[in-house]
Amino acid sequence: MNQSQLVELIRVLTSEEKEQILKISSITLFSGSKMRFHIAPLLEYCFAQNWDDPDFNLTKDDVYTKSFPNQVNVAGKLEKTMVEAQKLIQKFLITQQYLNSDNEFRQIYDFGQIVRQRGLDSRYKQSLNRLDKIQNESLCKNAPYYNHQFDLELAKHDEASVRNQVKGDLNIPNTLLALEIYSHIHRLALLNVYLLQQKAANIRYCIEMYADEL
């Protein structure tokens, strides 16, 4: 039990996150499985354990007894519930990361794609305008910025292509420029790491070769 993937995730959760996970454990959006009503008792018991204690050891039989009181031990039931509990934690952490305020660009971009698919063209244009504003106000022109810029220019290209009146450039020059800058930044970053790795390897080789003489 201590080495399970579920416990591995539990160990990195904060107290606040554990409380939030218990609150959403029965919500179909996060857990549509028929086992979802068993997830809360399982997690509540597991959350209360001191998994960081190296001498602490909990068997699956112990967990089953506490999670399913007064129930006969059914083969595979605990394992299935643990898998669903693990999926629930994963969805919670992914959602938490996605809804972080630092991820505003991606949230607006994805929502724009949703309203576009549902035929709300004016709302989609508003999303593109908001993305333009975020990019224009950004003070940090780093790799994520240029990644966002490429996504934005490509979205503008797609929109122009749908409404193609056989005039204009369909935003292709801007899209290609954004792609080139984004690719160039990542290429430079990877080359720098590669050169540093080679330099470190050469230094280590020299140290090992002349260790006896030093």
Side-chain angles (χ1 to χ4, degrees), residues 29-77:
L29 177 64
F30 288 91
S31 180
S33 168
K34 62 181 181 180
M35 306 297 293
R36 67 180 182 274
F37 298 109
H38 301 296
I39 292 176
L42 170 64
L43 287 179
E44 190 170 6
Y45 178 67
C46 289
F47 285 167
Q49 308 309 311
N50 184 14
W51 298 106
D52 293 327
D53 184 353
D55 297 324
F56 177 73
N57 185 34
L58 196 65
T59 67
K60 288 187 177 181
D61 287 338
D62 295 329
V63 177
Y64 193 99
T65 301
K66 296 293 184 180
S67 302
F68 308 100
N70 303 319
Q71 295 186 27
V72 178
N73 195 328
V74 179
K77 186 175 182 178

Side-chain angles (χ1 to χ4, degrees), residues 143-144 147 181-191:
N147 184 18
I181 295 175
Y182 171 65
S183 175
H184 183 66
I185 288 175
H186 280 277
R187 185 183 297 111
L188 283 178
L190 289 171
L191 283 173

Side-chain angles (χ1 to χ4, degrees), residues 10 12-22 47 92:
I10 290 176
V12 300
L13 296 175
T14 66
S15 298
E16 182 180 358
E17 288 171 339
K18 291 176 182 178
E19 291 180 7
Q20 293 173 339
I21 290 171
L22 288 176
F47 285 167
F92 169 79

Side-chain angles (χ1 to χ4, degrees), residues 78-124:
L78 176 61
E79 286 72 14
K80 290 179 181 178
T81 308
M82 288 175 61
V83 169
E84 293 303 321
Q86 178 185 328
K87 290 180 180 179
L88 172 67
I89 295 175
Q90 289 175 347
K91 288 180 180 179
F92 169 79
L93 293 175
I94 291 171
T95 303
Q96 185 183 55
Q97 176 68 26
Y98 181 80
L99 295 179
N100 190 292
S101 59
D102 293 337
N103 200 35
E104 182 184 14
F105 182 97
R106 182 54 56 186
Q107 294 167 17
I108 296 174
Y109 178 89
D110 290 342
F111 181 71
Q113 297 303 315
I114 292 172
V115 296
R116 181 189 184 191
Q117 293 170 4
R118 295 177 183 244
L120 302 178
D121 294 339
S122 60
R123 290 294 299 273
Y124 179 60

